[in-house]
Amino acid sequence: MYFYLKNLAPTQQIGALFVLVFGLLLLASVTSFAFSIHEFQDEARARRRRARLESINGILRSSWLMVVVFWLGWMMGNRVALTLFGLVSFFALREFLTLSPTRRGDHRSLVLCFFVVLPMQYWLVYAGHFDMFAVFIPVFVFLALPVVSALGNTPQHFLERNAKLQWGIMVCIYGMSHVPALLLLRFPGYDHRNAFMVFFLVLVVQVCMVTQHLLGRWLKLRPVAPAISGSFNWPCCWMGVLGASVFGAALAGITPWVPGTAFAFSFIACLAGSLGHFVMKALKRDRGIPSWGTQGRAVTGAGGLLDRVDALCFAAPVFFHSARWYFDL
Amino acid sequence: MMAKLMALLLLGLVRVLTGAQARWLGCPPKAEQRIYFANHQSHADLVMIWAALPQELRHSTRAIAARDYWTKTPFRRWLTSRVFNVVYVSRERTADEDPLEPLVEALERGDSIILFPEGTRGHAGDPQAFKAGLYNLACKFPQVVLVPAWINNVQNVLPKGERVPVPILCSVTFGAPMQLEAGEERRAFLERARQTVMALREL
């Protein structure tokens, strides 16, 4: 598979990938639909099955969304891709901040986050200022936000409020912006195929999350930290990470790496993603909600976008900076 | 034409900033004559509840707005009369006019109305005591359905005194219709209505 993929012309590789991915997704969607029309005599079993299908359908929907976003971005160039990822950041941050309520004194900081920091970060990506892009939020915004907050003249819960804001920005803007940043890295001997890197990262992390989810459902092992996550346990975590890494190694043909290196990079990204997802669960428990979306009962109307992209938000910076370090870019 | 474009623009803006989610928990949206009454914490409440209604009901459902504030500049007047089609009421009470008269007129024409019975924007978490207007209208139009609504989170989108709105998800929860009981006293009814609105917060 590796040599076959590597020897194809870039356009053929793209064609093969789209056929592969859209085909797989279509197959999964059709299967899930076929299961959904299956009838059961036993009402309790039917209800269990419906609940399970519901959660699988959620993952399928987000996979479709991601692949379509990728496809649009690839078709229409870097600028559109960056805008799309910028919108994802925007909506994810909207969800994050809604469920971590801020106070009146934070209004100006919020304006700064949404309308200055977010566009600025994506502009830095677009302009290719990678050194600045990597430190803009952790260094400059880290100071600017609390200054604006302090000028708001509300001392109550100052540290707590600022921590929430900083977290939201780090995860939703900083983390997310590393995904499209891969489009602009100049890997040696890999020109004009950067979209594959984005695709590789998104696909590998998503495969890892789906595998872990399905394994968790199937094996029902004892959770490591039941107060935080009812499903997280080490065997499932490792199996998901390793499975996705093997998948990543098989896809090495579309990356600038040989299978061994592709395996290592997938491994790093998946591990970061799984653990990041686990950490976000802890945040959600702290807020007392099962998911950022809470299907149907959401007072806020949050769509649960953050549930789907949080793993990617943690995997992307780790993946990006490892790749940069590896190629000494 | 301009009004229609403005309405589209505002709808888009409200959806991007707040999600504009409507939760019809107590009753479905329906083309019957209704009085929606809700808590009031921000000027954006008006836009919010307007955006939460389905398009078919929007033009026959008219919000109540204070005449002195919303007709101060030509733009505000145009916005409220052409885009939102509001009913103006004056907040200052003059001896010779009934402040409810424009509302009665609108209800007699068959329109539904959106009422903020607190009269003014509140600051605290709980809504203030309701004004008598709701009771008077309920007595006068017993056939009109009274629907309570809770507007959540809007005060954080645009706090009093700020100019730039920030994106935060909001929702409007519509509760089960309530009625004026036979022989129910004014104060008891108003307090019950307030409790019904507040109960929607927890759903």
Side-chain angles (χ1 to χ4, degrees):
Chain A
M1 186 169 177
Y2 170 62
F3 288 107
Y4 178 71
L5 275 176
K6 198 123 201 164
N7 290 331
L8 288 175
T11 46
Q12 285 174 312
Q13 286 186 332
I14 297 162
L17 263 177
F18 277 131
V19 170
L20 180 77
V21 172
F22 279 108
L24 277 180
L25 273 178
L26 202 62
L27 200 69
S29 291
V30 167
T31 318
S32 130
F33 176 73
F35 272 118
S36 75
I37 54 175
H38 185 91
E39 244 183 272
F40 283 97
Q41 302 300 328
D42 183 3
E43 184 53 34
R45 259 185 77 196
R47 205 175 310 123
R48 263 207 310 283
R49 170 63 68 83
R50 267 201 295 277
R52 195 177 305 167
L53 272 177
E54 191 66 33
S55 75
I56 291 175
N57 278 337
I59 296 178
L60 275 179
R61 261 200 306 277
S62 66
S63 308
W64 273 107
L65 185 79
M66 277 181 199
V67 174
V68 167
V69 165
F70 161 79
W71 181 68
L72 277 178
W74 203 87
M75 293 288 287
M76 316 196 51
N78 290 348
R79 209 176 299 186
V80 176
L82 277 171
T83 316
L84 285 174
F85 279 101
L87 283 176
V88 173
S89 270
F90 180 90
F91 289 122
L93 187 61
R94 191 178 75 165
E95 260 176 53
F96 186 96
L97 289 178
T98 302
L99 292 165
S100 319
T102 48
R103 289 173 180 240
R104 275 209 53 186
D106 295 327
H107 191 79
R108 296 272 160 85
S109 321
L110 286 175
V111 172
L112 189 70
C113 292
F114 277 105
F115 301 122
V116 179
V117 175
L118 196 153
M120 186 76 184
Q121 175 78 356
Y122 279 87
W123 179 79
L124 285 172
V125 177
Y126 179 68
H129 298 303
F130 287 119
D131 288 318
M132 189 59 190
F133 146 83
V135 295
F136 175 61
I137 285 175
V139 177
F140 295 87
V141 177
F142 179 71
L143 174 64
L145 274 185
V147 169
V148 176
S149 260
L151 289 175
N153 197 24
T154 332
Q156 289 87 11
H157 302 283
F158 189 77
L159 180 60
E160 199 184 312
R161 284 159 37 206
N162 272 288
K164 279 174 193 162
L165 270 179
Q166 302 275 11
W167 255 85
I169 292 182
M170 273 309 270
V171 175
C172 302
I173 303 181
Y174 188 76
M176 201 33 139
S177 66
H178 278 78
V179 183
L182 288 168
L183 288 172
L184 288 122
L185 268 188
R186 292 274 157 267
F187 298 104
Y190 189 65
D191 31 285
H192 310 305
R193 285 191 283 169
N194 286 49
F196 282 142
M197 284 300 265
V198 177
F199 186 62
F200 176 76
L201 173 67
V202 172
L203 190 65
V204 164
V205 172
Q206 193 64 11
V207 163
C208 169
M209 299 318 290
V210 173
T211 316
Q212 281 176 359
H213 181 85
L214 293 178
L215 280 176
R217 290 277 161 146
W218 183 43
L219 295 175
K220 291 198 177 29
L221 295 176
R222 209 142 56 90
V224 180
I228 283 177
S229 160
S231 59
F232 186 85
N233 59 68
W234 290 116
C236 284
C237 176
W238 287 120
M239 278 191 274
V241 169
L242 287 174
S245 305
V246 170
F247 179 72
L251 279 179
I254 63 163
T255 67
W257 298 308
V258 295
T261 330
F263 179 88
F265 274 93
S266 309
F267 184 83
I268 296 172
C270 290
L271 192 61
S274 319
L275 296 179
H277 188 68
F278 178 59
V279 169
M280 289 304 271
K281 277 194 176 160
L283 284 191
K284 287 184 269 188
R285 288 300 169 276
D286 183 26
R287 297 295 316 142
I289 47 169
S291 81
W292 298 106
T294 51
Q295 285 83 10
R297 311 188 277 111
V299 174
T300 57
L305 174 71
L306 199 50
D307 289 319
R308 307 288 173 217
V309 298
D310 54 3
L312 201 57
C313 291
F314 284 91
V318 175
F319 183 81
F320 179 89
H321 289 292
S322 315
R324 241 185 123 201
W325 170 81
Y326 181 82
F327 285 109
D328 204 10
L329 290 171
Chain B
M1 180 65 199
M2 277 305 285
K4 213 159 232 171
L5 275 181
M6 189 67 189
L8 278 179
L9 182 79
L10 272 174
L11 264 183
L13 191 71
V14 169
R15 290 204 176 124
V16 167
L17 289 178
T18 72
Q21 206 210 13
R23 303 160 75 223
W24 296 88
L25 297 184
C27 57
K30 200 165 151 194
E32 61 185 4
Q33 203 178 10
R34 283 175 170 177
I35 298 177
Y36 298 96
F37 56 101
N39 58 325
H40 195 23
Q41 290 188 297
S42 156
H43 283 314
D45 283 341
L46 181 78
V47 191
M48 191 61 209
I49 199 165
W50 170 81
L53 288 169
Q55 207 204 329
E56 292 81 7
L57 300 183
R58 224 173 268 148
H59 65 95
S60 63
T61 308
R62 306 173 64 189
I64 311 301
R67 188 191 300 275
D68 55 282
Y69 181 82
W70 286 107
T71 58
K72 207 180 257 165
T73 65
F75 175 70
R76 277 185 204 164
R77 179 185 278 277
W78 175 78
L79 193 68
T80 45
S81 62
R82 299 304 299 278
V83 180
F84 296 125
N85 190 19
V86 301
V87 182
Y88 294 114
V89 289
S90 21
R91 280 194 281 206
E92 290 89 42
R93 208 169 264 255
T94 45
D96 57 337
E97 99 178 300
D98 177 12
L100 286 183
E101 194 163 318
L103 305 189
V104 172
E105 226 166 76
L107 284 172
E108 272 168 355
R109 282 185 35 199
D111 291 332
S112 295
I113 60 173
I114 301 168
L115 201 63
F116 299 109
E118 290 171 75
T120 180
R121 286 176 290 160
H123 290 292
D126 288 347
Q128 300 161 3
F130 282 4
K131 298 239 167 92
L134 182 64
Y135 173 78
N136 294 337
L137 289 177
C139 292
K140 219 167 205 164
F141 297 91
Q143 83 284 5
V144 178
V145 181
L146 303 175
V147 179
W150 175 265
I151 305 175
N152 184 54
N153 233 357
V154 176
Q155 70 282 13
N156 293 326
V157 173
L158 194 64
K160 227 172 183 173
E162 293 289 344
R163 287 174 166 274
V164 186
V166 294
I168 289 180
L169 292 163
C170 305
S171 64
V172 182
T173 309
F174 296 93
M178 62 178 288
Q179 269 179 332
L180 183 61
E181 304 290 336
E184 193 172 7
E185 208 202 337
R186 189 186 66 174
R187 193 171 303 162
F189 171 75
L190 290 175
E191 185 50 32
R192 190 161 67 89
R194 182 168 165 268
Q195 293 299 337
T196 322
V197 168
M198 277 161 67
L200 295 175
R201 181 165 41 175
E202 308 303 329
L203 290 178

